[in-house]
Amino acid sequence: MTPTIWRLLTGRAFAAFATALIPTTLTLAVVRTGSAGDLGLVLAAELLPMLLLLPLAGVVADRHPARRVVLVADLARAAAQLGTGALLLSGPVRIPELAALAAVTGVAVAFGNPSARTLVAGVVPEEGRLRVNARLGVANALALMAGPAAAGAMVLLVGAGWSSLLTSALFVCSALTLGGLRTPAPARSDAHAHFLTELRAGWTETRRHPWFLANVVAHGVWHLAAGLLLTLGPLIAVRSLGGEGAWVVIAQLGTAGMLVGVWLAGRLRVGRPLVWVAVASSLQALPLTAFALRSPLAVTAAALFVAMFGVGLLSPLWETEIQRRVPPETLGRVGSFDTLISFAARPLGLATAAPLAAVAGTTVPLLVAAVLTAAANLSVLLLQDVRAHPGRKAAPALR
């Protein structure tokens, strides 16, 4: 492993762990003195700027060196967490100020996400990207496992403010690590093109890749179903599968499955990556069905393990295919639409799960979600570009 790639992995690991600390810290800080509505306001204040600014952030990712955008985004998140920590240490929780700082974080995430993808494409040679993306996936999975526990322990032992200050320090470490990476200048055809012109060109380029649009829509269905599962799954586990401990076991096995999947992804010889991505995405139907039918605890836990194994497997494969098939000069803009659908669909599932369950119960929504998830993701196999062997380079972008 070269020093550059080691630096890339280290920086992204810092950012992944810092990101994993934030939700638990905010949740515990707000629920102690606020209400569920206050928590929803703070979380929405972070999500909405992300959704609104992601397409614009894709243009920025293609206009400017990725390392500079990631540096600024990480420093902005560090500043927001520094402010959050100071606010939480200064006295009672003040929701408007917390929401404003969460909005700053959302803006930074929006601009940092597309550039992080182009950073990998700019630093890592094509033949090594799958292995690097898999290692990044392992770092993200470990962060998802350790982050909530670490944040909870810090909040209980020393307070939420100190947890936010630690998060700020981790983002500074990420900025210092990634900001010094040497990356090629963006390959832009017209340095003076209007911002909106480049935004439209990004959408035109996106529509030029049917394999991408079909998968993004299918992944959106999967994320929507995951939102339903994350809301209704714990309820079913507590009521029908043995209580709160049952959900803890199921969730931990799911996380373990994802970790195994991303670890294995970089070691497989995959002839047709998008076929694997489609099949792996469709595995989400298994836990949806298991929960809907009130399957025994062992069966339900195994179903989630397999589904999350698929998630771990598909993530590096999907990232690598986007970086390979999409021209470098439009990667930020095209990739931003993928992130936008993912960020929007899961909260929609979380928000609609309870109303749907109130009207139709939990079985019907979960079974419908299972059928739609399997159908949407397996239907992309009908496209020739999905079944094609990855032998050709990305076609030049439309000008």
Side-chain angles (χ1 to χ4, degrees):
M1 188 187 306
T2 66
T4 298
I5 293 178
W6 177 255
R7 189 168 183 169
L8 171 68
L9 293 172
T10 302
R12 296 309 299 160
F14 279 132
F17 187 55
T19 302
L21 292 173
I22 294 175
T24 301
T25 300
L26 282 178
T27 298
L28 294 178
V30 173
V31 298
R32 285 182 169 184
T33 57
S35 64
D38 291 335
L39 178 60
L41 175 63
V42 173
L43 297 179
E46 179 177 342
L47 179 64
L48 289 178
M50 271 192 254
L51 299 180
L52 294 174
L53 295 176
L54 265 169
L56 304 181
V59 177
V60 172
D62 290 332
R63 277 189 167 201
H64 302 284
R67 62 183 176 84
R68 293 182 185 173
V69 181
V70 171
L71 171 67
V72 173
D74 280 345
L75 290 177
R77 288 202 280 180
Q81 290 304 305
L82 179 63
T84 300
L87 185 65
L88 294 175
L89 290 172
S90 65
V93 173
R94 299 193 293 275
I95 298 302
E97 289 90 336
L98 274 183
L101 290 166
V104 173
T105 299
V107 171
V109 171
F111 281 93
N113 192 285
S115 292
R117 179 177 273 148
T118 60
L119 184 65
V120 174
V123 168
V124 184
E126 183 177 327
E127 62 273 13
R129 286 178 192 162
L130 177 57
R131 185 171 291 272
V132 169
N133 283 322
R135 288 172 175 168
L136 290 172
V138 170
N140 287 329
L142 290 173
L144 288 174
M145 291 180 69
M154 287 201 68
V155 171
L156 294 175
L157 294 175
V158 296
W162 289 104
S163 180
S164 293
L165 293 181
L166 171 63
T167 305
S168 177
L170 290 171
F171 279 128
V172 171
C173 291
S174 174
L176 295 176
T177 305
L178 298 176
L181 288 174
R182 295 186 178 275
T183 56
R188 297 178 58 221
S189 59
D190 184 1
H192 302 288
H194 192 276
F195 197 90
L196 291 179
T197 300
E198 292 199 17
L199 183 62
R200 286 194 295 269
W203 175 240
T204 300
E205 178 65 23
T206 301
R207 291 190 289 111
R208 199 166 69 94
H209 300 283
W211 62 269
F212 177 82
L213 282 175
N215 273 283
V216 166
V217 172
H219 295 171
V221 175
W222 168 74
H223 279 285
L224 180 67
L228 292 175
L229 182 63
L230 288 173
T231 303
L232 301 181
L235 180 65
I236 294 171
V238 170
R239 291 181 177 177
S240 305
L241 300 179
E244 296 178 356
W247 173 249
V248 172
V249 170
I250 293 170
Q252 289 300 316
L253 279 175
T255 305
M258 182 172 65
L259 183 58
V260 173
V262 293
W263 179 83
L264 188 61
R267 290 161 173 78
L268 292 174
R269 291 183 178 273
V270 178
R272 291 174 172 80
L274 291 182
V275 173
W276 286 67
V277 167
V279 174
S281 300
S282 69
L283 294 176
Q284 183 70 29
L286 296 178
L288 290 165
T289 304
F291 275 107
L293 300 179
R294 307 298 194 274
S295 300
L297 175 60
V299 174
T300 303
L304 188 61
F305 178 91
V306 172
M308 295 306 292
F309 171 84
V311 172
L313 194 66
L314 74 88
S315 296
L317 294 174
W318 175 243
E319 286 295 321
T320 304
E321 279 301 281
I322 293 176
Q323 292 160 0
R324 187 186 68 82
R325 292 185 180 223
V326 176
E329 61 268 29
T330 60
L331 181 58
R333 282 168 287 176
V334 174
S336 68
F337 290 107
D338 174 37
T339 308
L340 175 63
I341 295 300
S342 299
F343 278 165
R346 184 165 298 204
L348 180 60
L350 292 170
T352 58
L356 286 174
V359 173
T362 58
T363 299
V364 172
L366 289 174
L367 286 178
V368 170
V371 172
L372 291 177
T373 297
N377 285 279
L378 292 177
S379 66
V380 304
L381 296 174
L382 298 174
L383 295 176
Q384 177 62 34
D385 279 351
V386 170
R387 302 193 307 273
H389 193 280
R392 66 181 189 278
K393 296 282 187 179
L398 295 178
R399 304 302 187 190

